[in-house]
C-alpha cells in the first residue's frame, strides 16, 4: 500500500507564558505536564515558552519542578524519555503560591509577570489556564481583572488568552452566568473552552473523512441512513472523583460536551472554511435543530442507570454507592442513553442514539452510521431481513480507525451472503499512536486557533437540550438503582428503549 501524506503547514506557536491556576491538581500532573513535555521532545514549543504554576500550596520553583518531573515520568508515554530535554524544559517552570480568594496574591502574580516578561522573551503574551474546581472560575476571573492581569486593552504589548476546563456550568442558567462573567473581562476571541475530545486525531478526522472525500456525502442523509449510534463506554468507575461526580453524573460529565461534539461533527453541514467561526457556526446549527425532549417525553427518549457491584476484567469491583465520596443512597446516574432527532432537511426522522457509562463491559468510543437495507429480496437463500446492514464505524477508541461493513457472497453453488469489512487502522497506516489531544489543543491555543474549542452559544444550546432531562431526573426518584452490574452493557431499560424501534445497541 502506498501512503501519501499531505499535511497542511502549521504556523508556529507564538512565544508566551502559560499561567496555570490549579497547578498542584490532578489535571496538571496527568495531562498538561505530559503534553507540554511531549511538545518539548518534539521541539514544538515556541521560543521563550514558560509555565508559571499557581495554587494554594506553598512550594518553591524547585519543588514544583520535582513534582512535575514525577508527573511526567508517571504519565508521559514512555516516561522521561530524554533527560536533557527534561532539564531544559524544567528550567522554564516557575511557581507562585497564593489563595484564590486573596487579592494580594493576584497583585503579587501581576508584579511577578511584569518582571518575568522583561527578563524572558515571551513578548507579553499570556495564556491563563483555569484548571481549578469550576466554582472558582468566576472568582478567579474577577480577581485577575481587578489586579490588571487580564482584560481587553490594559497592556501595550502582547495578547491574553484564557483556557477554561470543563464543566462549563452545570445547567443553562449557570453556564449563562459564567459566560457573562467571562465576557465582562474577555472578548470571545480570547476564550478557549476546552473539550479534549476535539483534540483527538480521530475526532478531527470525522471532518476530513466527510469533507475530504466526495463519495460519502451524497449518502450521508435521511434517504440512506437508517440511524446513528454514538457510544463512549468506559470500564473505569469514578475513581477518586466521587465528590465531583456526585454533583455531575454522566449527562453533565460526558454528554453536554464530548458526546454532543461527536453528534455535531457527524451531523453538521460542510462549513464554508476550516476555520473557527465557520466550523462553530455549522456545529451550532445542529444543536439548534435538535428536537427538545419535553418532560412527558423523558421516559421515552432518555434512560438513566447506576452501576452496582460486578466484575471487570476478572476483578470484583464495588458499586457506585460504595465509592469514596458517593452517598450510600446516591441518585447520581453513571449511565445514560438518549434518543435524539435533528429536525433538518438532511436528518429529519433519523434517530441518533447516544449512550455513555462508567463500569461498562469495554472501553470503546465510536460513531456508527447504519445504512438502510436494500429494497428487495434477490437471494432466495438469504432473505433481505437476514442481510447484515451496511455500517460505517468511525472508531475513536481503541484501535483508532474506520471500518465499513458490507455483504459478500460466500463461495459455493448457492448464493449465500456473509458480512465482511474494510478496515483502516491509524496504527497500521501511520505506524504510531495519534498525538495526545492536549498536545494538539495547547499548541492551537498558542497559535490563536480556536477551531477545536467551544463557543459560548454552543455551550448554552447544549445545556438547553439537557436541562429538561436533568430537571425531570432531579425531581423523580430513579427506579431500581443500582440497575446494572459493573462489567455489563448497561441497564435493561436502555435495551428496551432502542428495542422499541426494532433495533439493538451495537456490542463493539
Ligand atoms: C472526561 C470525564 O472529560 O472524559 C471523565 O470527566 C471521562 O469522567 C473522560 O473518564 C473520558 O475521556 P477519554 O478520552 O478516556 O474517552
Amino acid at each position: 500500500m502506498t501512503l501519501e501524506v499531505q499535511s497542511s503547514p502549521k504556523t508556529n506557536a507564538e512565544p508566551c507564558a502559560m499561567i496555570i491556576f490549579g497547578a498542584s491538581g490532578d489535571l496538571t500532573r496527568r495531562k498538561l505536564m505530559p503534553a507540554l513535555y511531549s511538545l518539548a521532545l518534539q521541539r514544538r514549543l515556541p521560543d521563550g515558552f514558560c509555565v508559571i504554576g499557581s495554587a494554594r500550596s506553598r512550594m518553591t520553583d524547585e519543588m514544583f519542578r520535582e513534582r512535575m518531573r514525577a508527573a511526567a515520568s508517571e504519565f508521559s508515554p514512555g516516561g522521561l524519555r530524554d533527560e536533557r530535554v527534561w532539564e531544559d524544559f524544567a528550567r522554564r517552570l516557575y511557581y507562585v503560591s497564593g489563595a484564590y480568594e486573596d487579592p494580594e496574591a493576584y497583585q503579587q502574580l501581576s508584579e511577578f509577570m511584569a518582571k518575568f516578561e522583561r527578563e524572558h522573551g515571551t513578548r507579553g503574551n499570556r495564556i491563563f489556564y483555569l484548571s481549578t474546581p469550576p466554582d472558582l472560575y468566576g472568582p478567579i476571573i474577577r480577581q485577575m481583572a481587578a489586579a490588571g492581569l487580564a482584560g481587553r486593552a490594559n497592556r501595550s504589548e502582547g495578547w491574553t488568552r484564557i483556557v477554561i476546563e470543563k464543566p462549563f456550568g452545570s445547567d443553562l442558567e449557570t453556564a449563562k452566568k459564567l459566560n457573562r462573567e467571562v465576557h465582562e473581562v474577555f472578548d470571545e476571541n480570547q476564550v478557549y473552552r476546552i473539550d479534549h475530545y476535539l483534540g483527538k486525531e480521530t475526532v478531527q478526522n470525522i471532518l476530513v473523512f466527510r469533507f475530504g472525500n466526495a463519495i460519502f456525502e451524497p449518502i450521508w442523509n435521511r434517504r440512506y441512513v437508517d440511524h446513528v449510534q454514538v457510544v463512549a463506554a468506559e470500564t473505569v468507575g469514578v475513581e477518586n472523583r466521587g465528590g465531583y461526580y456526585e454533583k455531575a453524573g454522566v449527562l453533565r460529565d460526558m454528554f453536554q460536551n464530548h458526546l454532543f461534539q461527536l453528534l455535531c461533527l457527524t451531523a453538521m453541514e460542510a462549513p464554508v472554511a476550516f476555520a473557527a467561526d465557520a466550523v462553530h457556526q455549522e456545529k451550532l446549527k445542529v444543536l439548534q435543530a435538535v428536537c427538545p425532549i419535553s418532560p412527558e417525553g423523558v421516559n421515552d427518549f432518555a434512560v438513566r442507570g447506576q452501576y452496582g457491584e460486578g466484575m471487570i476484567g476478572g476483578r470484583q469491583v464495588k458499586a457506585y454507592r460504595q465509592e469514596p465520596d458517593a452517598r450510600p443512597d446516591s441518585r447520581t446516574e453513571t449511565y445514560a442513553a438518549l434518543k435524539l432527532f435533528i429536525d433538518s432537511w438532511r436528518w429529519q426522522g433519523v434517530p441518533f442514539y447516544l449512550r455513555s457509562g462508567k463500569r461498562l463491559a469495554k472501553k470503546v468510543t465510536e460513531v456508527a452510521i447504519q445504512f438502510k437495507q436494500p429494497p428487495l429480496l434477490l437471494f432466495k437463500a438469504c432473505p433481505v431481513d437476514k442481510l447484515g446492514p451496511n455500517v460505517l464505524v468511525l472508531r475513536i477508541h481503541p484501535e483508532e480507525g474506520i471500518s465499513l461493513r458490507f455483504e459478500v457472497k460466500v463461495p459455493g453453488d448457492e448464493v449465500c451472503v456473509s458480512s465482511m469489512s474494510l478496515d483502516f487502522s491509524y496504527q497500521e497506516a501511520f505506524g504510531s499512536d495519534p498525538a495526545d489531544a492536549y498536545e494538539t489543543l495547547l499548541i492551537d491555543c498558542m497559535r490563536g486557533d480556536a477551531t477545536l474549542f467551544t463557543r459560548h452559544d454552543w455551550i448554552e444550546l447544549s445545556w438547553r437540550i439537557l436541562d429538561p432531562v436533568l430537571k425531570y431526573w432531579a425531581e423523580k426518584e430513579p427506579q431500581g438503582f443500582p440497575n446494572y452490574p459493573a462489567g455489563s452493557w448497561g441497564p435493561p431499560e436502555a435495551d428496551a428503549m432502542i428495542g422499541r424501534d426494532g433495533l439493538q445497541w451495537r456490542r463493539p
Side-chain angles (χ1 to χ4, degrees):
M1 179 171 131
T2 50
L3 189 70
E4 281 180 41
V5 179
Q6 302 196 341
S7 58
S8 55
K10 292 242 178 185
T11 49
N12 281 334
E14 298 173 58
C16 57
M18 181 179 282
I19 302 100
I20 305 176
F21 289 108
S24 56
D26 238 26
L27 185 84
T28 309
R29 278 181 347 108
R30 286 173 185 268
K31 294 290 179 191
L32 303 184
M33 266 315 132
L36 290 171
Y37 173 55
S38 171
L39 291 170
L41 282 168
Q42 300 162 52
R43 313 218 174 283
R44 287 170 70 200
L45 287 176
D47 293 340
F49 175 79
C50 292
V51 172
I52 299 155
S54 175
R56 282 181 216 277
S57 341
R58 297 214 155 271
M59 252 191 285
T60 61
D61 290 343
E62 264 325 305
M63 286 156 73
F64 182 55
R65 289 171 186 161
E66 271 315 303
R67 267 205 197 194
M68 294 304 112
R69 182 193 174 87
S73 324
E74 186 175 351
F75 298 110
S76 293
L80 270 194
R81 274 174 287 160
D82 188 326
E83 191 62 36
R84 285 233 305 273
V85 172
W86 173 261
E87 286 302 325
D88 183 48
F89 174 69
R91 273 195 288 277
R92 310 179 196 196
L93 304 180
Y94 298 86
Y95 186 80
V96 179
S97 64
Y100 298 121
E101 62 282 2
D102 176 14
E104 189 56 31
Y106 295 83
Q107 275 310 330
Q108 280 166 8
L109 183 60
S110 183
E111 284 156 26
F112 177 86
M113 290 300 301
K115 180 164 168 289
F116 177 90
E117 282 163 349
R118 278 196 299 276
E119 291 165 7
H120 294 71
T122 57
R123 298 193 204 151
N125 296 331
R126 301 172 176 179
I127 296 176
F128 290 96
Y129 200 118
L130 298 191
S131 162
T132 60
D135 49 339
L136 292 173
Y137 296 164
I140 291 178
I141 290 170
R142 275 196 298 279
Q143 296 271 17
M144 280 164 58
L149 265 170
R152 291 190 174 86
N154 58 348
R155 294 185 301 122
S156 54
E157 204 198 7
W159 43 252
T160 305
R161 296 178 189 143
I162 182 160
V163 183
I164 306 179
E165 268 293 335
K166 68 174 267 276
F168 197 95
S170 54
D171 57 14
L172 178 59
E173 204 181 311
T174 49
K176 275 184 166 173
K177 177 167 177 280
L178 183 53
N179 269 333
R180 273 197 306 273
E181 287 171 330
V182 170
H183 288 155
E184 269 165 29
V185 180
F186 295 99
D187 290 328
E188 180 61 22
N189 64 13
Q190 296 177 286
V191 185
Y192 291 69
R193 296 175 194 78
I194 203 163
D195 180 324
H196 78 280
Y197 265 51
L198 290 178
K200 290 178 189 255
E201 282 287 333
T202 36
V203 171
Q204 293 174 60
N205 190 45
I206 298 177
L207 288 189
V208 176
F209 181 79
R210 289 191 54 199
F211 303 124
N213 296 294
I215 59 171
F216 298 106
E217 216 34 40
I219 56 169
W220 208 267
N221 56 48
R222 61 192 297 272
R223 245 169 295 154
Y224 297 96
V225 175
D226 183 74
H227 73 277
V228 177
Q229 292 192 23
V230 182
V231 62
E234 299 188 90
T235 51
V236 289
V238 291
E239 310 202 284
N240 54 356
R241 298 160 74 220
Y244 151 76
Y245 205 84
E246 268 295 278
K247 287 192 250 152
V250 73
L251 274 195
R252 293 187 172 94
D253 188 46
M254 295 292 287
F255 280 70
Q256 181 271 326
N257 33 68
H258 312 326
L259 269 83
F260 278 10
Q261 293 288 0
L262 295 177
L263 171 77
C264 286
L265 295 174
T266 308
M268 69 191 258
E269 300 297 323
V272 290
F274 189 58
D277 271 346
V279 172
H280 291 163
Q281 207 52 37
E282 294 306 331
K283 285 186 359 194
L284 189 74
K285 284 196 215 157
V286 176
L287 294 191
Q288 282 169 334
V290 168
C291 302
I293 299 179
S294 64
E296 305 75 55
V298 169
N299 287 333
D300 294 327
F301 291 88
V303 168
R304 58 179 153 167
Q306 188 191 75
Y307 61 83
E309 55 188 22
M311 299 287 284
I312 298 260
R315 192 168 59 90
Q316 178 73 26
V317 295
K318 312 186 219 193
Y320 173 72
R321 290 177 177 181
Q322 291 151 12
E323 300 278 13
D325 300 325
R327 284 195 311 271
D329 58 348
S330 172
R331 296 165 56 160
T332 301
E333 84 286 354
T334 59
Y335 174 99
L338 292 186
K339 171 166 129 180
L340 296 176
F341 285 99
I342 299 171
D343 257 349
S344 66
W345 274 62
R346 189 191 278 265
W347 293 118
Q348 205 278 330
V350 178
F352 283 72
Y353 300 97
L354 277 54
R355 70 188 154 135
S356 177
K358 299 271 184 207
R359 288 284 191 230
L360 294 181
K362 198 172 165 193
K363 165 87 180 160
V364 49
T365 312
E366 63 171 40
V367 177
I369 295 114
Q370 181 161 324
F371 293 90
K372 293 188 172 167
Q373 296 289 62
L376 70 131
L377 173 119
L378 271 190
F379 319 114
K380 292 203 174 47
C382 182
V384 79
D385 57 351
K386 293 279 175 326
L387 287 180
N390 295 131
V391 187
L392 179 75
V393 182
L394 309 169
R395 277 196 317 275
I396 292 146
H397 187 92
E399 294 150 26
E400 291 85 350
I402 295 171
S403 68
L404 177 63
R405 191 171 87 169
F406 47 84
E407 298 303 279
V408 295
K409 179 179 175 304
V410 178
D413 296 342
E414 289 271 0
V415 181
C416 286
V417 178
S418 169
S419 298
M420 289 291 146
S421 71
L422 273 177
D423 279 300
F424 152 73
S425 143
Y426 261 82
Q427 244 288 333
E428 269 174 39
F430 297 105
S432 62
D433 287 328
D436 179 77
Y438 274 91
E439 290 174 32
T440 308
L441 296 173
L442 291 174
I443 281 285
D444 276 4
C445 180
M446 293 176 209
R447 280 198 198 105
D449 181 351
T451 312
L452 301 178
F453 292 81
T454 309
R455 212 167 63 181
H456 65 106
D457 40 5
W458 190 96
I459 295 265
E460 290 182 13
L461 267 179
S462 63
W463 284 119
R464 197 182 289 277
I465 296 167
L466 289 180
D467 262 13
V469 183
L470 288 167
K471 191 157 177 279
Y472 185 89
W473 284 354
E475 284 164 4
K476 299 267 181 308
E477 190 71 38
Q479 296 301 307
F481 265 20
N483 59 353
Y484 70 98
S488 70
W489 275 107
E493 291 85 344
D495 297 332
M497 179 176 84
I498 195 167
R500 286 194 292 274
D501 299 338
L503 300 169
Q504 288 179 343
W505 294 113
R506 286 169 47 75
R507 295 276 182 265

